[in-house]
Amino acid sequence: MQQQELLYEGKSKLIFKSDKEDRIIIQFKDDATAFYNIKRARIENKGKMNCDISSMLLGYLNENGVSTHFVEKIDENKQLCRVVEHIPIEVIVRNVIAGSMAKRLGIEEGVVPENTIFDICLRGEELGDPLVNDHHAVALGIATYEELAKIYEISAKVNLLLSELFTKAGITLVDFKIEFGRTESGELILADELTPDTCRLWDMATGERMDKDRFRRDLGRVRETYEEVACRIHNALNK
Ligand code: UDP
């Protein structure tokens, strides 16, 4: 597989064309950003760790009946992925109240809700990824009601599979963000990454944060924590 020109540079990833029309190459960077780019840093090894973690998690989902864009890891910080038409919404799945939901509704972080909560947000930093509902998404032509129903169904399955895996790793999956794409045949599949940048992960034994909140909230040991997450997922997959 040959890497060709750069198609897009994001905050944490570079996307390259490949010599196959239906494949792209994603390179994970060491850059960390938060609060819409206001806080920035370079964290040595983060690209490699996130590539490793995302490859393990997306590979696990592929093997367990959830189609994702991930094809294979081709280098320490690069993945070969399927080309999809990106759907511009972020789906956030919450098992424990934290982050923006705690703030918005005045609920203490750590409260476990009666049911799993699914939020959808429009992708777009200019507007600050606003929370929307299904009717907004349909009215804006982003997805049909049928597609949204499928998106929630897949998101619930992803939550079950990941929660099971993280439990084996001694980690509570507090919340996470996923994105979807349409393949040429119209199939909805998971696209983008699954990493400690896009999930909240709390150590089951100590409650310690094992995700991007270490960076957002200046808790230190970011690199070591991401390495620990990679190691624990690796062990959990081999249990
Ligand atoms: N998240 C993400 N990208 C975003 C917004 C949120 O990956 O643009 C993830 C975030 O890391 C967390 C979950 O989605 O695991 C829920 O985030 P929340 O809505 O609480 O927002 P935050 O507190 O991160 O601002």
Side-chain angles (χ1 to χ4, degrees):
M1 186 62 53
Q2 282 244 308
Q3 182 171 307
Q4 296 187 338
E5 77 258 27
L6 180 70
L7 291 173
Y8 169 80
E9 173 158 13
K11 286 176 291 184
S12 60
K13 293 185 291 280
L14 299 163
I15 317 284
F16 296 93
K17 248 180 112 162
S18 81
D19 55 357
K20 269 197 163 179
E21 210 177 296
D22 58 348
R23 296 283 185 265
I24 47 166
I25 291 170
I26 300 183
Q27 180 178 332
F28 289 74
K29 304 196 287 186
D30 285 344
D31 300 339
T33 64
F35 313 120
Y36 299 105
N37 250 344
I38 291 171
K39 189 177 167 98
R40 288 189 227 195
R42 243 185 111 72
I43 296 163
E44 202 197 327
N45 234 10
K46 178 172 171 283
K48 198 174 140 202
M49 285 302 116
N50 274 356
C51 183
D52 198 25
I53 292 169
S54 200
S55 300
M56 285 192 281
L57 295 179
L58 295 178
Y60 163 76
L61 292 176
N62 279 339
E63 281 164 21
N64 285 280
V66 175
S67 297
T68 82
H69 73 158
F70 173 73
V71 179
E72 60 176 329
K73 191 171 167 216
I74 52 170
D75 199 348
E76 58 176 24
N77 62 352
K78 286 184 190 167
Q79 291 177 340
L80 185 66
C81 292
R82 294 165 70 177
V83 170
V84 292
E85 178 202 350
H86 219 92
I87 299 174
I89 54 172
E90 298 184 338
V91 180
I92 293 174
V93 183
R94 301 177 188 276
N95 296 310
V96 181
I97 307 293
S100 73
M101 176 155 181
K103 232 188 226 166
R104 197 173 61 246
L105 300 183
I107 306 172
E108 207 178 315
E109 286 203 312
V111 170
V112 178
E114 292 276 318
N115 51 289
T116 308
I117 296 166
F118 299 87
D119 287 336
I120 55 171
C121 300
L122 280 191
R123 284 188 68 219
E125 294 205 347
E126 321 76 57
L127 296 174
D129 299 335
L131 184 65
V132 292
N133 64 28
D134 290 14
H135 307 296
H136 294 110
V138 174
L140 292 169
I142 288 171
T144 63
Y145 284 110
E146 292 72 27
E147 283 179 322
L148 288 163
K150 187 78 193 159
I151 282 173
Y152 290 121
E153 186 191 315
I154 300 171
S155 301
K157 188 161 181 195
V158 170
N159 188 36
L160 273 180
L161 286 166
L162 290 182
S163 295
E164 195 178 286
L165 180 69
F166 277 111
T167 300
K168 279 191 200 160
I171 293 172
T172 302
L173 179 61
V174 171
D175 59 30
F176 60 94
K177 184 265 302 176
I178 45 179
E179 296 182 25
F180 288 84
R182 289 184 197 94
T183 63
E184 251 187 22
S185 64
E187 189 197 357
L188 285 170
I189 66 170
L190 229 65
D192 207 36
E193 67 184 282
L194 261 176
T195 65
D197 283 357
T198 61
C199 303
R200 278 201 173 86
L201 306 169
W202 293 356
D203 189 322
M204 276 179 161
T206 63
E208 209 185 3
R209 288 167 196 264
M210 305 186 73
D211 54 58
K212 190 172 163 183
D213 277 345
R214 299 205 72 80
F215 172 67
R216 292 190 189 100
R217 303 181 188 189
D218 291 321
L219 301 174
R221 301 184 65 252
V222 183
R223 174 187 165 170
E224 293 82 349
T225 305
Y226 278 46
E227 285 170 354
E228 167 85 18
V229 170
C231 180
R232 288 211 208 172
I233 294 170
H234 181 81
N235 291 339
L237 284 171
N238 291 308
K239 264 184 192 169

